[in-house]
Amino acid sequence: MGQQDLKQESRCWGVFDLTPNTRLQFNCGDLLLDIASGEKDWLMQYELKTSDTVHNPCIQLMGTGEEGWSLANKQRIVSNNIPQKLSLTPVMSDRAIVCRATTTVVLLPKEQISLYVAVPLWLQLSIRGGEKPLLDVSTERISDTWFGLNSREGVMSYALRMSEQLDIQPSTNHGMRVTIEIRIKNESNEQLNLDKVSVPAPHLALYVDEVGHFWTRRITMVREQDEQATLTIDKVMSTGLAHQNLTLVSAARDDLGQHKITKALSALFG
């Protein structure tokens, strides 16, 4: 993508030209990323804005120079052969994301339901294919949380804000978020109270449709007769979208393949 296209560009990911004495600014959700290229270095700064408003993705071609370098995180990248292209790739988060229902969902015995959630994406910045990304950061502010049965049994996860929770309808809030369908089956003889669900984001590949909305494969969680639950990443896409209408954006960080994972009930539902 050339610099001449930037004024019309409404998405903040892909491959971009960054020739010497060029400066680009990317707005992706809460993330503001600013990069300037010199003859033998890049200046890069970024921060997550504090506003509750989620901004539409956009790119600006900025003036050169170091004025306005006031963002929280800064670094200089040096090389005798500085690359003149950069790659920004949306990916799923590096931890599970805990999603809460605004009102407790009660799933009766031997029943199933599909719930939906739109979760923030991460953005990876790379300059050479195959190398470790220079940047791997969330596009929205998100909190750390401990998820599990108690303080000893559980894992570090992320927690969504109250405005981004589980619902029985697919989200219409897109931007730099991905819509995930979670099919939950209750095979036990007891009701299952769904106050919160741990979404296994690192196990999910990311896809984009023709209008730029992000999707994943459907997740199936099954509560068994005992205090166990199984997790499967299904072959079908969330909301039943056709594969031929989607493009793979990034592979799963930790691909499960077609394997089924058995966990304690508290590991998936708290």
Side-chain angles (χ1 to χ4, degrees):
M1 182 177 301
Q3 297 168 17
Q4 65 274 13
D5 303 320
L6 291 175
K7 291 183 179 179
Q8 289 77 38
E9 183 57 38
S10 61
R11 75 178 191 183
C12 58
W13 60 278
V15 178
F16 302 93
D17 294 334
L18 192 63
T19 54
N21 302 313
T22 300
R23 181 174 171 185
L24 299 179
Q25 189 175 90
F26 301 84
N27 279 278
C28 302
D30 292 340
L31 177 66
L32 178 60
L33 173 63
D34 196 353
I35 306 173
S37 177
E39 295 294 335
K40 292 188 177 183
D41 67 351
W42 280 2
L43 289 174
M44 179 171 68
Q45 63 170 349
Y46 70 93
E47 70 179 18
L48 291 167
K49 301 182 288 291
T50 58
S51 170
D52 289 333
T53 301
V54 176
H55 300 274
N56 291 325
C58 68
I59 304 168
Q60 299 180 49
L61 181 61
M62 308 290 289
T64 57
E66 297 190 26
E67 62 278 1
W69 287 88
S70 58
L71 301 186
N73 304 282
K74 303 180 182 68
Q75 58 180 290
R76 185 185 296 268
I77 302 159
V78 296
S79 172
N80 285 325
N81 185 23
I82 198 73
Q84 296 189 13
K85 290 184 181 293
L86 65 89
S87 174
L88 291 173
T89 306
V91 295
M92 300 298 293
S93 70
D94 57 347
R95 298 183 201 160
I97 298 179
V98 179
C99 306
R100 300 179 183 273
T102 52
T103 302
T104 298
V105 177
V106 178
L107 185 58
L108 298 177
K110 310 302 180 181
E111 297 282 353
Q112 71 177 44
I113 190 175
S114 282
L115 299 176
Y116 301 87
V117 67
V119 302
L121 292 170
W122 264 236
L123 198 65
Q124 291 183 343
L125 186 154
S126 303
I127 56 175
R128 296 185 179 95
E131 293 187 357
K132 183 177 179 179
L134 295 175
L135 185 67
D136 189 353
V137 63
S138 172
T139 59
E140 294 186 25
R141 287 187 171 272
I142 195 166
S143 302
D144 294 329
T145 189
W146 180 259
F147 187 79
L149 185 62
N150 51 49
S151 59
R152 293 177 298 174
E153 301 176 53
V155 293
M156 283 300 299
S157 304
Y158 297 114
L160 289 185
R161 297 177 296 202
M162 289 303 295
S163 62
E164 304 160 332
Q165 303 306 299
L166 293 165
D167 202 347
I168 59 174
Q169 297 293 331
S171 172
T172 58
N173 191 356
H174 295 281
M176 288 300 290
R177 296 179 184 165
V178 54
T179 299
I180 304 172
E181 178 183 356
I182 308 167
R183 184 175 62 166
I184 300 174
K185 296 182 177 181
N186 185 8
E187 300 291 350
S188 75
N189 295 319
E190 301 179 3
Q191 70 181 37
L192 176 60
N193 294 335
L194 299 171
D195 296 305
K196 52 191 174 182
V197 173
S198 177
V199 178
H203 300 321
L204 297 170
L206 181 65
Y207 297 81
V208 68
D209 65 19
E210 295 170 340
V211 295
H213 296 162
F214 295 102
W215 306 87
T216 70
R217 295 180 184 272
R218 185 182 66 192
I219 302 167
T220 294
M221 298 179 179
V222 181
R223 180 189 176 173
E224 307 292 351
Q225 288 287 355
D226 51 16
E227 290 299 303
Q228 298 292 312
T230 59
L231 166 69
T232 307
I233 309 301
D234 297 333
K235 292 183 179 180
V236 301
M237 298 301 300
S238 293
T239 72
L241 290 172
H243 281 272
Q244 61 265 30
N245 296 329
L246 299 169
T247 301
L248 178 66
V249 176
S250 54
R253 292 178 186 260
D254 182 13
D255 190 2
L256 290 181
Q258 298 302 310
H259 299 292
K260 180 184 296 184
I261 295 180
T262 300
K263 295 189 175 187
L265 191 65
S266 60
L268 295 182
F269 303 113

